[in-house]
Amino acid sequence: MTGDPYHPRRFPIKAVIVILVVIGIAAIWGGRQIASSVGTAVTGTLEASGLSSPEVSNETLETGPKTINLAYVLRGKPGSIRFDAYRGGVNDYLSTKYPASFRDDRDYWLQFVDESIQDRYLKQLAGNIRAAEPEPDNQVRAAISMVQQIPPYADYSFDTAAKYPYHVLYHKDGGDCDEKSLLLAYLLREMGYGVALFEFEQESHMAVGIKAPDRYCYRDTGYAFIETTVPSIPTDAGGEYGGDDGIKMTSKPKVFVIAEGDSFEGIWREHADAVEWNKIRGMGPKLDSYNYGRYRNLAQTYGMDYGG
């Protein structure tokens, strides 16, 4: 046995220093690498989800206020929802904000729904809808009608890949099919419902899907069809939509799930009305007094134009 058990062998001091320096350099280098990777991942996640907006004070955002009254029709009865908007802060800020890098189409669309500055004010709008219509089913109906009643396809003074839902409300003179669909998707999500976007690539059109019982859903998507560009009956996917040169949706849409949530069980009522509406429309331009009366009543129920 070699060496003294009570005096263990000591490493030379120079060797110890060299080892510590090597370990320190490795730790710093590794830390930088990890920090860089995590930073990239976090930044990518925040940008893709629309949560990268800087903290901005209310004083900065809430300049140039104006009150907007948004009309809706609920079972033939007109109503109005108040929305407090701001030009100098929120609208101008979003007007210059472009989508960040994104992993896929769903991430792209989520940026317009998840934007944090916008979120402060759209939550208030959802609260105003709840206050106006205490019954949950009617809150959904009011939100759908309110978005449909906003005129579509207006031009804006600024250019961006798409407009945020806030812009559709602020300008109140239009929004493309995707912009209005994003607005409705936000509101339905805020109310706790399962919601998706339908993208019809062949027809260059977008609509909203709300989670519903299977028999009321569009094809096999798990979501009921809701058009947003014009007043129409939820579940009615047979109309001609998409602006002045409307076309029917015939292709299978891409489905982008925006949120999991509750099913709109009360949509059976809209589905029954949509079936009757299309049955009457299939009778031709000349209707007897009974069917014309039913046609007119259904149009008034959903705030649709019936030509007289």
Side-chain angles (χ1 to χ4, degrees), residues 72 80-81 127-134 139 142:
Y72 70 95
S80 180
I81 304 293
N128 291 346
I129 294 173
R130 293 190 190 95
E133 299 293 342
Q139 292 169 6

Side-chain angles (χ1 to χ4, degrees), residues 189-209:
R189 182 183 69 176
E190 187 64 22
M191 293 173 182
Y193 290 87
V195 61
L197 296 172
F198 291 153
E199 183 182 9
F200 296 87
E201 284 189 308
Q202 182 175 315
E203 295 85 359
S204 299
H205 190 64
M206 180 171 282
V208 171

Side-chain angles (χ1 to χ4, degrees), residues 167-269:
H167 289 136
V168 177
L169 295 166
Y170 181 84
H171 292 274
K172 200 191 169 184
D173 61 354
D176 212 333
C177 58
D178 52 349
E179 294 144 19
K180 294 183 72 177
S181 293
L182 289 164
L183 171 59
L184 182 57
Y186 177 97
L187 293 172
L188 295 179
R189 182 183 69 176
E190 187 64 22
M191 293 173 182
Y193 290 87
V195 61
L197 296 172
F198 291 153
E199 183 182 9
F200 296 87
E201 284 189 308
Q202 182 175 315
E203 295 85 359
S204 299
H205 190 64
M206 180 171 282
V208 171
I210 187 170
K211 187 177 179 182
D214 288 343
R215 59 187 175 277
Y216 308 128
C217 289
Y218 184 68
R219 297 192 174 183
D220 57 351
T221 63
Y223 298 89
F225 178 95
I226 302 174
E227 175 61 25
T228 61
T229 58
V230 294
S232 60
I233 306 175
T235 74
D236 182 13
E240 293 186 353
Y241 304 124
D244 294 334
D245 299 323
I247 57 175
K248 291 190 175 184
M249 303 301 113
T250 58
S251 67
K252 185 175 182 179
K254 290 183 178 179
V255 180
F256 303 121
V257 177
I258 298 300
E260 303 292 345
D262 296 337
S263 172
F264 183 25
E265 300 294 315
I267 204 169
W268 64 267
R269 191 169 186 175

Side-chain angles (χ1 to χ4, degrees), residues 51-294:
L51 300 177
S52 57
S53 299
E55 287 299 321
V56 184
S57 67
N58 287 351
E59 291 77 12
T60 301
L61 289 170
E62 296 177 1
T63 59
K66 71 174 181 177
T67 297
I68 299 171
N69 293 309
L70 300 159
Y72 70 95
V73 177
L74 179 61
R75 307 305 299 176
K77 179 181 177 182
S80 180
I81 304 293
R82 173 176 172 148
F83 180 62
D84 294 319
Y86 302 92
R87 173 190 54 77
V90 185
N91 182 70
D92 290 353
Y93 165 75
L94 292 172
S95 297
T96 59
K97 184 170 184 180
Y98 287 78
S101 58
F102 50 93
R103 292 183 295 270
D104 53 35
D105 289 347
R106 179 176 179 271
D107 276 347
Y108 173 79
W109 294 117
L110 278 174
Q111 290 186 65
F112 294 97
V113 180
D114 289 343
E115 207 290 319
S116 61
I117 296 297
Q118 168 185 256
D119 187 60
R120 304 182 195 181
Y121 303 95
L122 294 192
K123 282 184 182 293
Q124 295 174 11
L125 175 60
N128 291 346
I129 294 173
R130 293 190 190 95
E133 299 293 342
E135 184 182 336
D137 281 3
N138 286 341
Q139 292 169 6
V140 175
R141 293 176 176 124
I144 292 170
S145 177
M146 184 195 78
V147 174
Q148 290 179 340
Q149 292 287 333
I150 299 173
Y153 301 105
D155 294 326
Y156 293 91
S157 59
F158 54 87
D159 182 28
T160 185
K163 282 71 179 178
Y164 287 85
Y166 189 94
H167 289 136
V168 177
L169 295 166
Y170 181 84
H171 292 274
K172 200 191 169 184
D173 61 354
D176 212 333
C177 58
D178 52 349
E179 294 144 19
K180 294 183 72 177
S181 293
L182 289 164
L183 171 59
L184 182 57
Y186 177 97
L187 293 172
L188 295 179
R189 182 183 69 176
E190 187 64 22
M191 293 173 182
Y193 290 87
V195 61
L197 296 172
F198 291 153
E199 183 182 9
F200 296 87
E201 284 189 308
Q202 182 175 315
E203 295 85 359
S204 299
H205 190 64
M206 180 171 282
V208 171
I210 187 170
K211 187 177 179 182
D214 288 343
R215 59 187 175 277
Y216 308 128
C217 289
Y218 184 68
R219 297 192 174 183
D220 57 351
T221 63
Y223 298 89
F225 178 95
I226 302 174
E227 175 61 25
T228 61
T229 58
V230 294
S232 60
I233 306 175
T235 74
D236 182 13
E240 293 186 353
Y241 304 124
D244 294 334
D245 299 323
I247 57 175
K248 291 190 175 184
M249 303 301 113
T250 58
S251 67
K252 185 175 182 179
K254 290 183 178 179
V255 180
F256 303 121
V257 177
I258 298 300
E260 303 292 345
D262 296 337
S263 172
F264 183 25
E265 300 294 315
I267 204 169
W268 64 267
R269 191 169 186 175
E270 280 74 12
H271 182 263
D273 286 344
V275 170
E276 184 177 9
W277 173 258
N278 283 298
K279 179 180 178 181
I280 295 172
R281 292 179 67 189
M283 294 178 180
K286 294 184 178 181
L287 299 173
D288 59 34
S289 59
Y290 171 79
N291 284 303
Y292 178 74
R294 289 297 303 144

